[in-house]
mmCIF file of all heavy atoms in Angstrom:
data_model
loop_
_atom_site.group_PDB
_atom_site.id
_atom_site.type_symbol
_atom_site.label_atom_id
_atom_site.label_comp_id
_atom_site.label_asym_id
_atom_site.label_seq_id
_atom_site.Cartn_x
_atom_site.Cartn_y
_atom_site.Cartn_z
ATOM 1 N N ALA C 1 139.625 499.096 201.303
ATOM 2 C CA ALA C 1 138.962 498.076 200.497
ATOM 3 C C ALA C 1 138.416 498.628 199.184
ATOM 4 O O ALA C 1 138.445 497.958 198.158
ATOM 5 C CB ALA C 1 137.824 497.431 201.300
ATOM 6 N N PHE C 2 137.910 499.877 199.205
ATOM 7 C CA PHE C 2 137.327 500.469 198.002
ATOM 8 C C PHE C 2 138.386 501.107 197.104
ATOM 9 O O PHE C 2 138.177 501.261 195.918
ATOM 10 C CB PHE C 2 136.279 501.520 198.391
ATOM 11 C CG PHE C 2 134.997 500.964 198.929
ATOM 12 C CD1 PHE C 2 134.898 499.663 199.412
ATOM 13 C CD2 PHE C 2 133.857 501.751 198.976
ATOM 14 C CE1 PHE C 2 133.711 499.162 199.930
ATOM 15 C CE2 PHE C 2 132.659 501.262 199.470
ATOM 16 C CZ PHE C 2 132.593 499.964 199.951
ATOM 17 N N TYR C 3 139.486 501.535 197.664
ATOM 18 C CA TYR C 3 140.701 501.988 196.991
ATOM 19 C C TYR C 3 140.597 503.314 196.257
ATOM 20 O O TYR C 3 141.383 504.222 196.504
ATOM 21 C CB TYR C 3 141.211 500.911 196.021
ATOM 22 C CG TYR C 3 142.676 501.067 195.630
ATOM 23 C CD1 TYR C 3 143.674 500.772 196.542
ATOM 24 C CD2 TYR C 3 143.061 501.500 194.365
ATOM 25 C CE1 TYR C 3 145.028 500.911 196.205
ATOM 26 C CE2 TYR C 3 144.397 501.635 194.022
ATOM 27 C CZ TYR C 3 145.374 501.333 194.938
ATOM 28 O OH TYR C 3 146.696 501.477 194.587
ATOM 29 N N SER C 4 139.655 503.473 195.352
ATOM 30 C CA SER C 4 139.696 504.629 194.460
ATOM 31 C C SER C 4 139.050 505.880 195.043
ATOM 32 O O SER C 4 139.178 506.962 194.467
ATOM 33 C CB SER C 4 139.029 504.295 193.123
ATOM 34 O OG SER C 4 137.636 504.092 193.294
ATOM 35 N N PHE C 5 138.359 505.754 196.172
ATOM 36 C CA PHE C 5 137.705 506.912 196.760
ATOM 37 C C PHE C 5 138.669 507.695 197.650
ATOM 38 O O PHE C 5 139.480 507.121 198.374
ATOM 39 C CB PHE C 5 136.496 506.485 197.593
ATOM 40 C CG PHE C 5 135.325 506.022 196.771
ATOM 41 C CD1 PHE C 5 135.185 504.683 196.436
ATOM 42 C CD2 PHE C 5 134.356 506.915 196.342
ATOM 43 C CE1 PHE C 5 134.114 504.243 195.679
ATOM 44 C CE2 PHE C 5 133.277 506.491 195.587
ATOM 45 C CZ PHE C 5 133.159 505.158 195.249
ATOM 46 N N SER C 6 138.543 509.010 197.620
ATOM 47 C CA SER C 6 139.326 509.862 198.503
ATOM 48 C C SER C 6 138.984 509.548 199.957
ATOM 49 O O SER C 6 137.813 509.357 200.295
ATOM 50 C CB SER C 6 139.018 511.325 198.188
ATOM 51 O OG SER C 6 138.834 512.087 199.313
ATOM 52 N N PRO C 7 139.996 509.474 200.832
ATOM 53 C CA PRO C 7 139.716 509.229 202.252
ATOM 54 C C PRO C 7 138.742 510.241 202.843
ATOM 55 O O PRO C 7 137.893 509.886 203.676
ATOM 56 C CB PRO C 7 141.099 509.330 202.907
ATOM 57 C CG PRO C 7 142.055 508.977 201.823
ATOM 58 C CD PRO C 7 141.445 509.532 200.562
ATOM 59 N N GLY C 8 138.857 511.497 202.413
ATOM 60 C CA GLY C 8 137.946 512.508 202.919
ATOM 61 C C GLY C 8 136.508 512.228 202.539
ATOM 62 O O GLY C 8 135.584 512.442 203.347
ATOM 63 N N MET C 9 136.296 511.741 201.320
ATOM 64 C CA MET C 9 134.937 511.424 200.893
ATOM 65 C C MET C 9 134.377 510.246 201.687
ATOM 66 O O MET C 9 133.233 510.280 202.147
ATOM 67 C CB MET C 9 134.915 511.094 199.399
ATOM 68 C CG MET C 9 133.527 510.759 198.887
ATOM 69 S SD MET C 9 133.508 510.454 197.108
ATOM 70 C CE MET C 9 131.770 510.080 196.848
ATOM 71 N N VAL C 10 135.183 509.221 201.874
ATOM 72 C CA VAL C 10 134.720 508.062 202.645
ATOM 73 C C VAL C 10 134.344 508.487 204.058
ATOM 74 O O VAL C 10 133.317 508.057 204.605
ATOM 75 C CB VAL C 10 135.790 506.961 202.666
ATOM 76 C CG1 VAL C 10 135.324 505.786 203.542
ATOM 77 C CG2 VAL C 10 136.096 506.470 201.259
ATOM 78 N N ALA C 11 135.164 509.337 204.656
ATOM 79 C CA ALA C 11 134.907 509.771 206.026
ATOM 80 C C ALA C 11 133.591 510.527 206.157
ATOM 81 O O ALA C 11 132.985 510.536 207.233
ATOM 82 C CB ALA C 11 136.066 510.637 206.515
ATOM 83 N N ARG C 12 133.127 511.147 205.071
ATOM 84 C CA ARG C 12 131.846 511.860 205.127
ATOM 85 C C ARG C 12 130.662 510.906 205.215
ATOM 86 O O ARG C 12 129.598 511.281 205.716
ATOM 87 C CB ARG C 12 131.679 512.760 203.890
ATOM 88 C CG ARG C 12 132.582 513.969 203.884
ATOM 89 C CD ARG C 12 132.077 515.045 202.923
ATOM 90 N NE ARG C 12 132.055 514.599 201.533
ATOM 91 C CZ ARG C 12 133.087 514.677 200.704
ATOM 92 N NH1 ARG C 12 134.247 515.138 201.144
ATOM 93 N NH2 ARG C 12 132.970 514.286 199.453
ATOM 94 N N TYR C 13 130.836 509.702 204.712
ATOM 95 C CA TYR C 13 129.700 508.792 204.609
ATOM 96 C C TYR C 13 129.813 507.537 205.475
ATOM 97 O O TYR C 13 128.812 506.847 205.688
ATOM 98 C CB TYR C 13 129.506 508.364 203.149
ATOM 99 C CG TYR C 13 129.223 509.520 202.232
ATOM 100 C CD1 TYR C 13 130.158 509.951 201.302
ATOM 101 C CD2 TYR C 13 128.020 510.200 202.307
ATOM 102 C CE1 TYR C 13 129.900 511.031 200.459
ATOM 103 C CE2 TYR C 13 127.749 511.279 201.469
ATOM 104 C CZ TYR C 13 128.701 511.689 200.547
ATOM 105 O OH TYR C 13 128.434 512.750 199.735
ATOM 106 N N VAL C 14 130.994 507.227 205.959
ATOM 107 C CA VAL C 14 131.194 506.024 206.772
ATOM 108 C C VAL C 14 131.594 506.458 208.172
ATOM 109 O O VAL C 14 132.638 507.093 208.360
ATOM 110 C CB VAL C 14 132.285 505.118 206.161
ATOM 111 C CG1 VAL C 14 132.506 503.892 207.053
ATOM 112 C CG2 VAL C 14 131.900 504.691 204.747
ATOM 113 N N PRO C 15 130.790 506.136 209.184
ATOM 114 C CA PRO C 15 131.110 506.582 210.544
ATOM 115 C C PRO C 15 132.276 505.816 211.147
ATOM 116 O O PRO C 15 132.539 504.664 210.790
ATOM 117 C CB PRO C 15 129.817 506.300 211.314
ATOM 118 C CG PRO C 15 129.168 505.174 210.564
ATOM 119 C CD PRO C 15 129.517 505.401 209.126
ATOM 120 N N ASP C 16 132.991 506.465 212.057
ATOM 121 C CA ASP C 16 134.017 505.779 212.832
ATOM 122 C C ASP C 16 133.355 504.732 213.707
ATOM 123 O O ASP C 16 132.143 504.784 213.977
ATOM 124 C CB ASP C 16 134.790 506.764 213.703
ATOM 125 C CG ASP C 16 135.776 507.594 212.899
ATOM 126 O OD1 ASP C 16 136.497 507.008 212.074
ATOM 127 O OD2 ASP C 16 135.818 508.822 213.084
ATOM 128 N N ALA C 17 134.174 503.790 214.190
ATOM 129 C CA ALA C 17 133.639 502.692 215.001
ATOM 130 C C ALA C 17 132.881 503.204 216.227
ATOM 131 O O ALA C 17 131.897 502.612 216.655
ATOM 132 C CB ALA C 17 134.772 501.762 215.411
ATOM 133 N N GLY C 18 133.327 504.323 216.784
ATOM 134 C CA GLY C 18 132.681 504.838 217.983
ATOM 135 C C GLY C 18 131.445 505.668 217.715
ATOM 136 O O GLY C 18 130.738 506.056 218.652
ATOM 137 N N GLU C 19 131.166 505.960 216.458
ATOM 138 C CA GLU C 19 130.003 506.765 216.114
ATOM 139 C C GLU C 19 128.804 505.880 215.811
ATOM 140 O O GLU C 19 128.945 504.724 215.420
ATOM 141 C CB GLU C 19 130.309 507.640 214.888
ATOM 142 C CG GLU C 19 131.455 508.605 215.083
ATOM 143 C CD GLU C 19 131.784 509.376 213.818
ATOM 144 O OE1 GLU C 19 131.088 509.180 212.807
ATOM 145 O OE2 GLU C 19 132.746 510.157 213.839
ATOM 146 N N SER C 20 127.627 506.415 215.985
ATOM 147 C CA SER C 20 126.424 505.632 215.699
ATOM 148 C C SER C 20 126.080 505.740 214.216
ATOM 149 O O SER C 20 126.043 506.831 213.653
ATOM 150 C CB SER C 20 125.256 506.142 216.544
ATOM 151 O OG SER C 20 124.996 507.497 216.266
ATOM 152 N N ALA C 21 125.857 504.602 213.581
ATOM 153 C CA ALA C 21 125.453 504.568 212.175
ATOM 154 C C ALA C 21 123.938 504.626 212.093
ATOM 155 O O ALA C 21 123.224 504.419 213.081
ATOM 156 C CB ALA C 21 125.971 503.293 211.518
ATOM 157 N N ALA C 22 123.434 504.906 210.906
ATOM 158 C CA ALA C 22 121.986 504.974 210.716
ATOM 159 C C ALA C 22 121.331 503.622 210.992
ATOM 160 O O ALA C 22 120.198 503.555 211.459
ATOM 161 C CB ALA C 22 121.665 505.437 209.299
ATOM 162 N N ALA C 23 122.050 502.542 210.712
ATOM 163 C CA ALA C 23 121.504 501.199 210.908
ATOM 164 C C ALA C 23 122.652 500.233 211.155
ATOM 165 O O ALA C 23 123.804 500.505 210.800
ATOM 166 C CB ALA C 23 120.691 500.769 209.692
ATOM 167 N N THR C 24 122.355 499.091 211.745
ATOM 168 C CA THR C 24 123.376 498.076 211.972
ATOM 169 C C THR C 24 123.699 497.378 210.656
ATOM 170 O O THR C 24 122.865 497.354 209.734
ATOM 171 C CB THR C 24 122.905 497.028 212.979
ATOM 172 O OG1 THR C 24 121.827 496.272 212.387
ATOM 173 C CG2 THR C 24 122.424 497.677 214.274
ATOM 174 N N PRO C 25 124.898 496.777 210.540
ATOM 175 C CA PRO C 25 125.202 496.023 209.326
ATOM 176 C C PRO C 25 124.163 494.946 209.018
ATOM 177 O O PRO C 25 123.815 494.726 207.858
ATOM 178 C CB PRO C 25 126.579 495.421 209.625
ATOM 179 C CG PRO C 25 127.207 496.402 210.570
ATOM 180 C CD PRO C 25 126.070 496.875 211.433
ATOM 181 N N ALA C 26 123.656 494.275 210.058
ATOM 182 C CA ALA C 26 122.650 493.233 209.835
ATOM 183 C C ALA C 26 121.379 493.816 209.241
ATOM 184 O O ALA C 26 120.772 493.234 208.330
ATOM 185 C CB ALA C 26 122.338 492.514 211.154
ATOM 186 N N ASP C 27 120.969 494.975 209.746
ATOM 187 C CA ASP C 27 119.776 495.625 209.196
ATOM 188 C C ASP C 27 120.001 496.046 207.741
ATOM 189 O O ASP C 27 119.104 495.922 206.898
ATOM 190 C CB ASP C 27 119.414 496.852 210.028
ATOM 191 C CG ASP C 27 118.845 496.493 211.394
ATOM 192 O OD1 ASP C 27 118.377 495.349 211.548
ATOM 193 O OD2 ASP C 27 118.883 497.356 212.291
ATOM 194 N N VAL C 28 121.205 496.548 207.445
ATOM 195 C CA VAL C 28 121.517 496.968 206.079
ATOM 196 C C VAL C 28 121.503 495.774 205.134
ATOM 197 O O VAL C 28 120.968 495.850 204.019
ATOM 198 C CB VAL C 28 122.870 497.694 206.028
ATOM 199 C CG1 VAL C 28 123.257 498.013 204.586
ATOM 200 C CG2 VAL C 28 122.823 498.985 206.843
ATOM 201 N N LEU C 29 122.070 494.651 205.575
ATOM 202 C CA LEU C 29 122.110 493.469 204.717
ATOM 203 C C LEU C 29 120.706 492.942 204.432
ATOM 204 O O LEU C 29 120.406 492.527 203.304
ATOM 205 C CB LEU C 29 122.966 492.377 205.363
ATOM 206 C CG LEU C 29 124.471 492.656 205.386
ATOM 207 C CD1 LEU C 29 125.186 491.625 206.237
ATOM 208 C CD2 LEU C 29 125.043 492.659 203.970
ATOM 209 N N ALA C 30 119.847 492.968 205.430
ATOM 210 C CA ALA C 30 118.467 492.528 205.212
ATOM 211 C C ALA C 30 117.750 493.468 204.253
ATOM 212 O O ALA C 30 117.036 493.023 203.340
ATOM 213 C CB ALA C 30 117.724 492.452 206.551
ATOM 214 N N ALA C 31 117.959 494.765 204.442
ATOM 215 C CA ALA C 31 117.330 495.743 203.550
ATOM 216 C C ALA C 31 117.904 495.650 202.142
ATOM 217 O O ALA C 31 117.196 495.906 201.157
ATOM 218 C CB ALA C 31 117.521 497.151 204.110
ATOM 219 N N ARG C 32 119.181 495.295 202.042
ATOM 220 C CA ARG C 32 119.815 495.157 200.731
ATOM 221 C C ARG C 32 119.111 494.077 199.914
ATOM 222 O O ARG C 32 118.830 494.266 198.724
ATOM 223 C CB ARG C 32 121.300 494.821 200.919
ATOM 224 C CG ARG C 32 122.124 494.876 199.668
ATOM 225 C CD ARG C 32 123.609 494.784 199.963
ATOM 226 N NE ARG C 32 124.072 493.413 200.176
ATOM 227 C CZ ARG C 32 125.351 493.028 200.054
ATOM 228 N NH1 ARG C 32 126.292 493.910 199.752
ATOM 229 N NH2 ARG C 32 125.705 491.773 200.265
ATOM 230 N N LEU C 33 118.820 492.945 200.530
ATOM 231 C CA LEU C 33 118.117 491.885 199.810
ATOM 232 C C LEU C 33 116.689 492.295 199.462
ATOM 233 O O LEU C 33 116.190 491.963 198.387
ATOM 234 C CB LEU C 33 118.124 490.596 200.635
ATOM 235 C CG LEU C 33 119.430 489.798 200.640
ATOM 236 C CD1 LEU C 33 119.271 488.538 201.491
ATOM 237 C CD2 LEU C 33 119.859 489.429 199.221
ATOM 238 N N ARG C 34 116.038 493.017 200.368
ATOM 239 C CA ARG C 34 114.685 493.499 200.037
ATOM 240 C C ARG C 34 114.750 494.456 198.849
ATOM 241 O O ARG C 34 113.888 494.424 197.962
ATOM 242 C CB ARG C 34 114.066 494.218 201.244
ATOM 243 C CG ARG C 34 113.699 493.310 202.400
ATOM 244 C CD ARG C 34 112.748 494.012 203.362
ATOM 245 N NE ARG C 34 113.313 495.237 203.945
ATOM 246 C CZ ARG C 34 114.029 495.280 205.058
ATOM 247 N NH1 ARG C 34 114.311 494.150 205.719
ATOM 248 N NH2 ARG C 34 114.478 496.432 205.520
ATOM 249 N N ALA C 35 115.774 495.298 198.826
ATOM 250 C CA ALA C 35 115.933 496.246 197.721
ATOM 251 C C ALA C 35 116.156 495.516 196.405
ATOM 252 O O ALA C 35 115.582 495.880 195.373
ATOM 253 C CB ALA C 35 117.089 497.196 198.017
ATOM 254 N N VAL C 36 116.997 494.487 196.424
ATOM 255 C CA VAL C 36 117.257 493.719 195.207
ATOM 256 C C VAL C 36 115.989 492.999 194.758
ATOM 257 O O VAL C 36 115.664 492.980 193.563
ATOM 258 C CB VAL C 36 118.403 492.716 195.432
ATOM 259 C CG1 VAL C 36 118.558 491.804 194.224
ATOM 260 C CG2 VAL C 36 119.711 493.455 195.706
ATOM 261 N N ASP C 37 115.270 492.420 195.695
ATOM 262 C CA ASP C 37 114.035 491.718 195.361
ATOM 263 C C ASP C 37 113.059 492.662 194.655
ATOM 264 O O ASP C 37 112.539 492.357 193.565
ATOM 265 C CB ASP C 37 113.401 491.165 196.640
ATOM 266 C CG ASP C 37 112.060 490.511 196.377
ATOM 267 O OD1 ASP C 37 111.993 489.606 195.525
ATOM 268 O OD2 ASP C 37 111.064 490.916 197.016
ATOM 269 N N ARG C 38 112.841 493.814 195.232
ATOM 270 C CA ARG C 38 111.899 494.778 194.644
ATOM 271 C C ARG C 38 112.413 495.302 193.302
ATOM 272 O O ARG C 38 111.631 495.455 192.346
ATOM 273 C CB ARG C 38 111.679 495.928 195.621
ATOM 274 C CG ARG C 38 110.952 495.540 196.892
ATOM 275 C CD ARG C 38 110.864 496.733 197.847
ATOM 276 N NE ARG C 38 110.181 497.876 197.221
ATOM 277 C CZ ARG C 38 110.210 499.109 197.722
ATOM 278 N NH1 ARG C 38 110.898 499.370 198.828
ATOM 279 N NH2 ARG C 38 109.551 500.079 197.106
ATOM 280 N N THR C 39 113.709 495.563 193.240
ATOM 281 C CA THR C 39 114.284 496.106 192.004
ATOM 282 C C THR C 39 114.208 495.100 190.869
ATOM 283 O O THR C 39 113.825 495.449 189.739
ATOM 284 C CB THR C 39 115.745 496.524 192.242
ATOM 285 O OG1 THR C 39 115.785 497.545 193.234
ATOM 286 C CG2 THR C 39 116.396 497.015 190.966
ATOM 287 N N TYR C 40 114.576 493.858 191.136
ATOM 288 C CA TYR C 40 114.539 492.846 190.083
ATOM 289 C C TYR C 40 113.113 492.604 189.599
ATOM 290 O O TYR C 40 112.880 492.414 188.402
ATOM 291 C CB TYR C 40 115.165 491.547 190.585
ATOM 292 C CG TYR C 40 116.652 491.455 190.352
ATOM 293 C CD1 TYR C 40 117.462 492.585 190.304
ATOM 294 C CD2 TYR C 40 117.272 490.218 190.187
ATOM 295 C CE1 TYR C 40 118.822 492.497 190.090
ATOM 296 C CE2 TYR C 40 118.637 490.111 189.965
ATOM 297 C CZ TYR C 40 119.407 491.245 189.927
ATOM 298 O OH TYR C 40 120.764 491.148 189.716
ATOM 299 N N ARG C 41 112.156 492.601 190.516
ATOM 300 C CA ARG C 41 110.764 492.408 190.100
ATOM 301 C C ARG C 41 110.302 493.566 189.217
ATOM 302 O O ARG C 41 109.546 493.362 188.258
ATOM 303 C CB ARG C 41 109.865 492.257 191.322
ATOM 304 C CG ARG C 41 110.108 490.960 192.087
ATOM 305 C CD ARG C 41 109.208 490.827 193.307
ATOM 306 N NE ARG C 41 109.577 489.675 194.104
ATOM 307 C CZ ARG C 41 109.212 488.417 193.859
ATOM 308 N NH1 ARG C 41 108.419 488.173 192.815
ATOM 309 N NH2 ARG C 41 109.603 487.418 194.631
ATOM 310 N N ALA C 42 110.760 494.768 189.544
ATOM 311 C CA ALA C 42 110.354 495.935 188.763
ATOM 312 C C ALA C 42 111.077 496.007 187.426
ATOM 313 O O ALA C 42 110.459 496.338 186.402
ATOM 314 C CB ALA C 42 110.626 497.206 189.572
#
């Protein structure tokens, strides 16, 4: 989907499906909006 990144680089930062991520996608999406809210206000 991102296309221009080296597969090796992506693999360093994106876990395989069987690996545990730092947070769930739902948690990331909620935090993403909080980040935008704080950033835009600042």
Side-chain angles (χ1 to χ4, degrees):
F2 287 18
Y3 199 73
S4 67
F5 288 91
S6 136
M9 180 177 179
V10 177
R12 289 199 297 273
Y13 299 110
V14 178
D16 285 314
E19 300 176 2
S20 60
T24 68
D27 288 340
V28 175
L29 289 171
R32 190 170 81 159
L33 283 181
R34 290 196 300 271
V36 173
D37 176 55
R38 293 176 58 194
T39 298
Y40 271 29
R41 292 180 187 278

